[in-house]
Amino acid sequence: MADINNTQNNYSASNIQVLEGLEAVRKRPAMYIGDISEKGLHHLVNETVDNSIDEAMAGYCSNIEVTINEDNSITVLDDGRGIPVDEHEKLHKSALEVVMTVLHAGGKFDKGSYKVSGGLHGVGVSCVNALSKHMLSQVYRDGKIYQQEYEKGIPLYPVKVVGETQLRGTRQQFWPDPTIFTTTEYNYDTIARRMRELAYLNAGITIKLTDLRPDAEGKLKEPEIFHAKEGLKEFVRYIDRHRTSIISEPICLKTEKDNVPIEVALIYNNDYQRDNIHSYVNNINTIEGGTHKTGFRIALARSLKNYTERNDQLRKQIEKAKIELAQDDFCEGLTAIISVKVAEPQFEGQTKTKLGNSEVNGAVQKAVGEAMNNYLEENPKDAHQICEKVILAATARVAARKARESVQRKSVMSGGGLPGKLADCSSRDPKKCEIFLVEGDSAGGSAKQGRDRHTQAILPLKGKILNVEKVQWHHVFEAESVMTIMQAIGVRFGVDGEEDRVANIDKLRYDKIIIMTDADVDGAHIDTLLMTLFYRFMPRIIEEGHLYIATPPLYLCTYKNKASEYCYTEQQRQAFIDKYANGEEDAKSIHTQRYKGLGEMNPEQLWDTTMNPETRLLKQVTIDNAAQADEIFSMLMGSDVEPRREFIEKNATYANIDA
C-alpha cells in the first residue's frame, strides 16, 4: 500500500498545469471540434466559413469564396466588413490578433455587432488557428491590407500593413496540422454539401467553391456556384426532387414572432415516410430537433385537424373509417425545413444539437399556425389533397397496429418471441453482445461454426428483404424478413404510450448489429435495403451508434507457399503483387483467390477475416446530415430510375464490388 503522507507531499502547485492561449485546444482538440479524423478536419472549414456567414446574416456580406488549394490548405474570402484591426483597449493588441488567438473572443458576443451567430460560440476561428500548422490572416479594410501569420496558433509578428486595396473583407488561409489530424486531405463533396446547405439557408448569398487539386488525368473541376434566390423553397425542392409532390407548390413562410426570425418551407409527396423534418438554428443542423421542431409539429397538426373538422366531406370520411387522427399522421409524405435565428441559443441532447429554448416553441407555433390556416383557406384543392393523405396515413396506422398485434400473438402461441433461425449467444449482457445479420443459409452456417458463442449471435437472412421505401407502414409488419430482424434484436413499437412509428430500443439485446453480406452487387443491394429499414423505422439504432457493416476480404493472395495475405481492396492486392513479384514471369507464381461469397470461406477463415474483434474491419453507419441521408435513400430506393443510374455510375469507382 502506498504511503499516504508521501503521496500527498508529492502533489503540489507544480502538478497543476495551466494551459495558456490556445494550448488547451491543441491538448484536447476533440473537445472543441468533435474528433481529429475527417469529420474534425472538415469542421475547420465550417468554422471559418461561419464567420463569413455571420457577417452575411448581419447584412454586411454577400459573396464568399472557398478554395481547396493544391497543397490541401483552405482559403476563405468574403466581402464583409473585415475583422477590426485597431487596438483592443483591455489586451492592448490588435483586435485581429485577439480574435485569432484568444478563446471566447469575437464580435458574436456583442449583440450590437451580431444579433445572432452560429459557430462554436466564439471559439471557432481561434480553434482553426490552434489546430493549423500555419495560418495566414488578411483583412481588407480602410483601403489597406492588414496581415498576420501564425504557427500552431502563435503569432509570428504583430499585425502589419502589407499593401493597399479598394476591397473590403477578410481572407483566411490555413494548413491543418498533420501532427493533430489523422488525415489532412479534404473531400470536395463534403465541403460542397455544406456550402450548398448554407446557400439555401441564407437566401441571396453567393458561395463559390473552387478545387485547385488536379485529378488523376491532370484535369481540374469547374468552380461550383451556390446561390438560392428563394432560400428554403429551393432547399425543400432539392431534398424532395426524387419524389412526386401532391401539391402544386411548396408552402413557405418567412416572418418574425416574439423577436425570433422564423423561416419554414414544406411540401407533401406521395411517399409513406414520416417525420422528414429538418431543423436549423443559426445555420446549425439540429439533428436531434428541439423546441422549434416541436412547435412546428403541434401547429401543423392543429391546423390540419381543425380543417378536417370544418370540412363536411373530410369529416364524414374519417367517421366512416372509424379512425382518429394522431399527430404522427400529419407527417406522412411530409418534407419540411425549419430555420430559426435565436440570439442566445441553448443546446442540449446527446450531441448538443437539440434546441432547448422554450420561448421558441410558442413563436414557431404562432407563425406556422397563422401561415397554415391562411394557406388551407386560400388553396382548397391542395388542402384537400393533404388531408386525404393524412386520412390514408391514419388508416394505415390502425392497420399496422392490428398487423403487429397479430404477429405478436403468433409469437406467443408458438412458444417464444425469438426467431427459430437465430443462433443466440450465451451472454445476457447487451453491452458485450453483437448480432450478425448474415446473407444466406450457407454463410450463416459458416458464421455459426466460426463465431464466439459467448458474445456473438447469428441470424441468417433468407429470402428477399422488403424495400420499406416503397410500402405503407402496415405492410412492414406483414413482412417475415423484417419482423424476424425486429424480434431478434428486441425492437418494439407503440409501447409505453409512444407513437406507433417510434421504435423503442430500450430493450435492445445487442450493442452491435452487424450486417454481413457478400462482396458483390447483390450483397451491396442487401446492405442498402437493410440500412434503409433501420434509417426509416429504427433511426435511434443508427443515431446511438449500434449499426455496422462487416468488411469481408476480396482476395486471398499466395506467393509460392511462402507468403499469404488477405486483401480487402484491389490496392492491397496490387501491393502484395508488387512486394513479392519480380517481373511478369514471377507474377504468374502469385495465386489470387477471389471471394465472391461468404460461403466460399470456411468457418476459420470467416472468423479470422471478418468476425474476430481483434482483426476485423467494421464500418459504422452514421448520420451526419439528415437532409443528405434522406435524399440519398429516397433516390437509391425510390421509383425514379434515372437519378439512381447516375449515382451508381458516378460512384462505381469507389465500390469494391463485382457483378
Side-chain angles (χ1 to χ4, degrees):
M1 186 173 178
D3 187 311
I4 295 177
N5 290 326
N6 285 341
T7 302
Q8 289 176 336
N9 290 337
N10 290 335
Y11 185 59
S12 64
S14 62
N15 298 109
I16 306 299
Q17 273 192 310
V18 178
L19 301 178
E20 308 223 348
L22 299 177
E23 291 179 70
V25 182
R26 293 186 60 81
K27 191 82 172 176
R28 298 284 186 269
M31 288 178 60
Y32 297 86
I33 60 167
D35 64 30
I36 56 172
S37 62
E38 187 173 321
K39 184 177 179 181
L41 179 73
H42 289 82
H43 204 98
L44 300 187
V45 181
N46 298 341
E47 286 303 324
T48 308
V49 174
D50 277 345
N51 276 12
S52 300
I53 292 293
D54 287 342
E55 278 286 279
M57 286 196 295
Y60 299 104
C61 168
S62 56
N63 294 281
I64 302 170
E65 295 183 17
V66 180
T67 305
I68 311 171
N69 298 304
E70 195 167 357
D71 59 0
N72 262 291
S73 66
I74 297 289
T75 301
V76 178
L77 172 66
D78 67 51
D79 62 354
R81 291 169 292 182
I83 298 173
V85 293
D86 52 316
E87 184 177 289
H88 192 279
E89 61 180 19
K90 289 184 179 179
L91 299 180
H92 302 295
K93 58 179 70 173
S94 170
L96 172 61
E97 183 173 330
V98 173
V99 167
M100 297 299 297
T101 62
V102 179
L103 286 179
H104 306 290
K108 57 185 69 177
F109 290 106
D110 174 15
K111 295 309 171 187
S113 300
Y114 295 110
K115 191 173 182 180
V116 295
S117 64
L120 281 173
H121 308 294
V123 300
V125 74
S126 57
C127 278
V128 176
N129 194 15
L131 300 176
S132 299
K133 65 179 180 180
H134 186 79
M135 188 160 186
L136 169 65
S137 290
Q138 290 184 327
V139 174
Y140 307 144
R141 191 177 172 112
D142 305 324
K144 298 177 181 177
I145 302 174
Y146 298 87
Q147 178 174 298
Q148 190 171 39
E149 293 180 80
Y150 318 86
E151 296 285 347
K152 299 178 180 178
I154 300 173
L156 297 181
Y157 48 79
V159 175
K160 62 184 180 183
V161 176
V162 295
E164 296 181 351
T165 183
Q166 297 300 312
L167 301 175
R168 71 168 195 179
T170 302
R171 181 186 186 275
Q172 303 279 21
Q173 184 174 6
F174 60 90
W175 291 255
D177 191 343
T179 66
I180 296 284
F181 294 96
T182 57
T183 177
T184 55
E185 184 171 350
Y186 280 102
N187 181 284
Y188 178 88
D189 290 337
T190 301
I191 297 175
R193 280 193 296 268
R194 178 56 178 164
M195 298 307 109
R196 180 182 295 110
E197 186 177 58
L198 287 170
Y200 282 133
L201 290 167
N202 299 275
I205 295 175
T206 300
I207 303 177
K208 180 180 180 182
L209 176 60
T210 305
D211 191 347
L212 297 179
R213 302 169 301 178
D215 61 17
E217 299 177 354
K219 297 179 180 178
L220 294 176
K221 287 187 181 73
E222 287 292 323
E224 203 163 353
I225 305 294
F226 303 104
H227 177 86
K229 185 178 181 180
E230 296 179 295
L232 297 193
K233 186 176 184 179
E234 293 182 46
F235 197 1
V236 79
R237 279 177 177 156
Y238 178 81
I239 293 175
D240 233 41
R241 69 190 186 280
H242 302 304
R243 300 186 176 101
T244 302
S245 174
I246 64 171
I247 60 177
S248 54
E249 283 288 318
I251 304 169
C252 303
L253 73 92
K254 184 175 183 180
T255 186
E256 184 171 317
K257 295 290 182 185
D258 302 335
N259 297 316
V260 178
I262 300 165
E263 286 188 70
V264 174
L266 64 96
I267 197 166
Y268 275 91
N269 56 64
N270 61 3
D271 276 15
Y272 308 115
Q273 307 308 324
R274 301 189 188 185
D275 207 21
N276 188 23
I277 303 170
H278 310 288
S279 59
Y280 297 84
V281 176
N282 302 355
N283 297 315
I284 299 169
N285 188 351
T286 43
I287 57 175
E288 293 182 87
T291 53
H292 53 332
K293 183 175 178 179
T294 302
F296 170 81
R297 285 171 59 92
I298 292 172
L300 180 72
R302 182 189 296 135
S303 296
L304 288 172
K305 189 171 186 179
N306 289 341
Y307 185 82
T308 60
E309 291 173 350
R310 294 195 306 270
N311 186 289
D312 290 340
Q313 182 182 349
L314 294 170
R315 188 179 68 254
K316 290 176 181 177
Q317 195 173 338
I318 293 170
E319 291 171 353
K320 183 178 179 181
K322 296 180 180 179
I323 57 174
E324 290 187 11
L325 302 183
Q327 188 182 85
D328 204 34
D329 300 327
F330 299 98
C331 294
E332 179 167 294
L334 169 72
T335 299
I337 303 168
I338 310 158
S339 177
V340 298
K341 303 294 195 295
V342 183
E344 298 290 345
Q346 300 165 16
F347 293 108
E348 55 187 50
Q350 186 177 357
T351 58
K352 301 298 181 188
T353 53
K354 183 177 182 180
L355 184 66
N357 298 65
S358 59
E359 73 277 7
V360 177
N361 184 321
V364 173
Q365 280 196 50
K366 289 179 188 176
V368 174
E370 290 177 9
M372 283 304 301
N373 290 338
N374 292 336
Y375 175 85
L376 294 171
E377 294 299 329
E378 295 170 5
N379 300 272
K381 184 179 178 181
D382 284 346
H384 201 84
Q385 286 282 87
I386 293 171
C387 292
E388 288 275 2
K389 177 73 172 175
V390 171
I391 294 170
L392 182 63
T395 306
R397 174 174 51 82
V398 173
R401 181 184 291 122
K402 292 178 180 177
R404 184 180 66 249
E405 290 170 352
S406 174
V407 170
Q408 290 171 343
R409 280 197 299 271
K410 288 178 183 177
S411 297
V412 172
M413 294 297 290
S414 62
L418 293 178
K421 283 187 171 291
L422 173 67
D424 209 358
C425 51
S426 58
S427 174
R428 290 296 173 262
D429 183 355
K431 293 182 180 178
K432 296 179 181 178
C433 298
E434 54 191 35
I435 184 171
F436 288 84
L437 308 181
V438 185
E439 175 189 357
D441 286 335
S442 175
S446 292
K448 287 177 183 179
Q449 294 178 57
R451 66 179 172 139
D452 177 347
R453 294 173 182 267
H454 181 61
T455 59
Q456 294 180 327
I458 308 297
L459 180 65
L461 303 176
K462 189 176 181 180
K464 186 178 180 182
I465 303 297
L466 182 71
N467 181 0
V468 300
E469 194 75 19
K470 292 184 177 181
V471 299
Q472 283 186 297
W473 169 241
H474 64 282
H475 290 307
V476 172
F477 293 102
E478 298 168 354
E480 182 182 355
S481 59
V482 173
M483 290 309 301
T484 297
I485 293 171
M486 291 180 175
Q487 290 168 7
I489 65 178
V491 166
R492 302 175 300 160
F493 287 82
V495 296
D496 302 328
E498 294 177 346
E499 296 173 77
D500 287 346
R501 286 297 274 265
V502 177
N504 185 303
I505 67 169
D506 294 343
K507 302 292 184 182
L508 197 66
R509 303 180 66 242
Y510 309 95
D511 183 66
K512 288 185 175 68
I513 299 167
I514 304 168
I515 301 170
M516 188 162 72
T517 59
D518 294 343
D520 58 13
V521 170
D522 289 338
H525 185 225
I526 293 171
D527 288 348
T528 309
L529 287 167
L530 288 171
M531 284 190 288
T532 306
L533 170 65
F534 282 103
Y535 176 67
R536 292 301 189 193
F537 290 90
M538 298 170 277
R540 277 185 59 197
I541 285 178
I542 300 178
E543 291 164 1
E544 297 184 18
H546 296 295
L547 187 62
Y548 297 81
I549 296 178
T551 311
L554 292 176
Y555 308 102
L556 173 60
C557 295
T558 307
Y559 173 65
K560 292 183 178 179
N561 296 322
K562 296 180 181 179
S564 64
E565 185 177 310
Y566 291 106
C567 299
Y568 293 81
T569 64
E570 176 61 33
Q571 290 78 6
Q572 289 180 357
R573 186 185 78 88
Q574 190 58 50
F576 182 91
I577 295 172
D578 294 342
K579 181 178 180 180
Y580 291 103
N582 297 310
E584 290 187 10
E585 293 184 5
D586 203 24
K588 290 177 181 129
S589 60
I590 290 181
H591 179 258
T592 298
Q593 180 181 356
R594 170 68 168 98
Y595 293 118
K596 285 201 172 185
L598 298 170
E600 295 180 14
M601 285 185 275
N602 62 43
E604 292 78 16
Q605 290 174 319
L606 195 57
W607 165 257
D608 288 339
T609 62
T610 316
M611 300 178 69
N612 185 350
E614 300 296 323
T615 58
R616 70 190 181 190
L617 296 173
L618 288 183
K619 299 174 183 175
Q620 188 174 36
V621 180
T622 61
I623 305 174
D624 291 328
N625 187 311
Q628 177 207 351
D630 170 70
E631 178 226 329
I632 289 177
F633 276 115
S634 64
M635 177 265 296
L636 284 177
M637 309 311 295
S639 302
D640 202 349
V641 176
E642 193 56 37
R644 179 161 57 249
R645 181 186 292 117
E646 292 177 4
F647 178 87
I648 292 171
E649 289 174 352
K650 179 181 178 182
N651 292 278
T653 55
Y654 303 112
N656 291 312
I657 55 176
D658 290 341

